[in-house]
Amino acid sequence: MILIIGGSHQGKYKYAASQYDEKNIWNEFHLFVKEKLEQGKTPEEIESEVNERIGLNSQLVIISNELGCGIVPFTKEDRDYRELTGRLLCKIAEKSDAVFRMTCGIAQRIK
């Protein structure tokens, strides 16, 4: 499994598509988490769904915006979303074979 993180519009998908099979790319992981929270799913249910999806494809390339480097969100819901996404990405990074951080279209391997 590969994890690619970085700010919005930093070339994450373009990089992933140039390096890996597109059928294995899970783009916008952060939006998946947000959608599940909006559907009323608990953090545990979301983590279980993530683990199931990861278990189905060992070649998965997960792409996510980095959410924790900006201004702290005003609403509790947005703070909870940011925290859950960050915690899930930490667990994904731990399990990943490689982790890349994208800045200005340049991939930097951090694991």
Side-chain angles (χ1 to χ4, degrees):
M1 180 170 55
I2 306 295
L3 174 61
I4 302 172
I5 61 167
S8 182
H9 308 291
Q10 295 297 310
K12 297 180 297 292
Y13 184 82
K14 183 178 179 182
Y15 172 77
S18 74
Q19 300 294 314
Y20 306 102
D21 187 342
E22 287 190 59
K23 71 179 181 181
N24 293 322
I25 296 175
W26 182 358
N27 194 21
E28 297 184 337
F29 174 82
H30 59 288
L31 295 180
F32 166 83
V33 175
K34 186 173 194 137
E35 288 172 14
K36 294 299 176 180
L37 285 171
E38 289 172 350
Q39 293 170 5
K41 301 278 185 177
T42 66
E44 294 79 16
E45 290 171 324
I46 296 168
E47 183 173 357
S48 177
E49 194 169 331
V50 168
N51 287 336
E52 182 180 327
R53 190 162 177 182
I54 288 170
L56 294 174
N57 185 353
S58 64
Q59 301 300 310
L60 199 59
V61 178
I62 299 173
I63 301 171
S64 181
N65 280 5
E66 194 169 9
L67 304 177
C69 294
I71 298 170
V72 176
F74 181 72
T75 66
K76 180 183 182 332
E77 293 80 14
D78 285 343
R79 289 190 302 273
D80 290 347
Y81 155 61
R82 184 174 89 155
E83 181 177 340
L84 177 60
T85 303
R87 290 184 187 278
L88 289 172
L89 287 170
C90 286
K91 290 177 182 181
I92 290 168
E94 187 176 309
K95 297 175 186 176
S96 293
D97 298 314
V99 178
F100 294 90
R101 185 168 196 288
M102 294 292 300
T103 305
C104 299
I106 299 169
Q108 179 181 26
R109 187 173 179 152
I110 57 177
K111 176 183 178 185

